[in-house]
Amino acid sequence: MLQTNNLGFIGLGVMGEPICRNLVKKSGAAVIAFDLSPEPVARLRAEGADVAGSVAEVVDKSEIVFLCLPSAKHVRSVFEGDGILKNIRAKQVVVDLGTSSVKQTRDFAHRLQARGASWVDAPIARTRQAAQDGTLSVMVGAAPELFAAIEPLIRCFATDVTSCGDVGAGQVTKILNNMVLFQTVNALAEAVAVAERSGVDPALLLDTLSKGSADSFALRNHGIKAIVPGNFPERAFSTEYALKDLSYALELADDAGIKIRGAELIGKVLQEAIDAGSGEAYFPVIAKHIEGR
């Protein structure tokens, strides 16, 4: 592990707060946290975290800074201005836990490298409960020696930690994971809609599919726990966030000169759900907007 007595954490949302809490409890380091919302800051302060008043203060007081922010736009906002780039020091490491643009990731890594610092992409996967339990899956883009140094810290909140390659490779892997997930959830939504219209109980359908070749994590979680009961809460992984992540996959495919028709189609499905007023709802809400449901 990197020799550090001070960790920074920026972004205490649905996933960031429990991840930061696990670092406070398990890392053995002092953790200084920052978020624009006072409620999670207060909760973490009560559990032993220090609190910063700005991004600049987090960078100033930390050797390793974790980011857990909603999108590339939010990451850019803490990188620029009186943020990471202006205040970074040589040998510091920034670990981005969000799903973000590969181009931006590699650009930020290049700019930090010029300052003697490092950028690591380590996007997280799995659920809010997994974040609370410390059982996330993390896909890391970093040089092998840097991966080896930060892996013990990541294992404070993750049970599956994969070295995917150099900077940006973690984002590529996570983006494609999400692309496959969205298309799978759409297939499940369509299957449930057809089953209902054809006189087959959706719960029975998915339970039966889970015993055969159509089984998947998406079926057992998004299908059985969200689509069948119609449970699409806010403050979960929203339709707008899903479309944002899909846009990164489409950008990757365009750069590679590959036409990904299935991804293009699910992009239209997500946009239709957003246009119908479900942008902030948990993204399996696309099932609600299939004709006949």
Side-chain angles (χ1 to χ4, degrees), residues 209-263:
L209 295 184
S210 73
K211 300 169 185 175
S213 57
D215 187 29
S216 67
F217 176 90
L219 186 153
R220 285 176 272 110
N221 287 272
H222 303 79
I224 291 174
K225 298 177 182 178
I227 293 173
V228 169
N231 183 28
F232 313 119
E234 296 185 0
R235 284 189 59 78
F237 191 78
S238 72
T239 312
E240 290 179 346
Y241 283 175
L243 185 59
K244 176 265 297 181
D245 283 6
L246 186 73
S247 73
Y248 301 146
L250 294 170
E251 179 183 76
L252 274 176
D254 186 60
D255 290 344
I258 298 172
K259 188 171 182 64
I260 47 176
R261 294 177 178 84

Side-chain angles (χ1 to χ4, degrees), residues 16 28 53 59 93 128 138 143 172-173 176 186 199 202 230 232 251 256 278 284 293:
V59 177
V93 179
R128 179 186 344 189
V138 182
V172 172
T173 306
L176 297 179
N186 187 58
F232 313 119
E251 179 183 76
S278 295
R293 290 212 81 209

Side-chain angles (χ1 to χ4, degrees), residues 69-107:
L69 298 165
S71 70
K73 177 181 71 175
H74 295 88
V75 174
R76 182 171 289 278
S77 73
V78 302
F79 186 83
E80 297 178 337
D82 189 24
I84 292 169
L85 184 62
K86 180 179 178 181
N87 295 283
I88 202 77
R89 303 182 304 278
K91 298 185 179 181
Q92 280 183 294
V93 179
V94 178
V95 183
D96 182 12
L97 302 176
T99 307
S100 193
S101 161
V102 176
K103 285 182 179 178
Q104 177 173 289
T105 295
R106 288 174 172 158
D107 173 55

Side-chain angles (χ1 to χ4, degrees), residues 105-119:
T105 295
R106 288 174 172 158
D107 173 55
F108 287 178
H110 179 74
R111 293 164 75 180
L112 288 198
Q113 185 179 32
R115 303 282 295 273
S118 301
W119 184 279

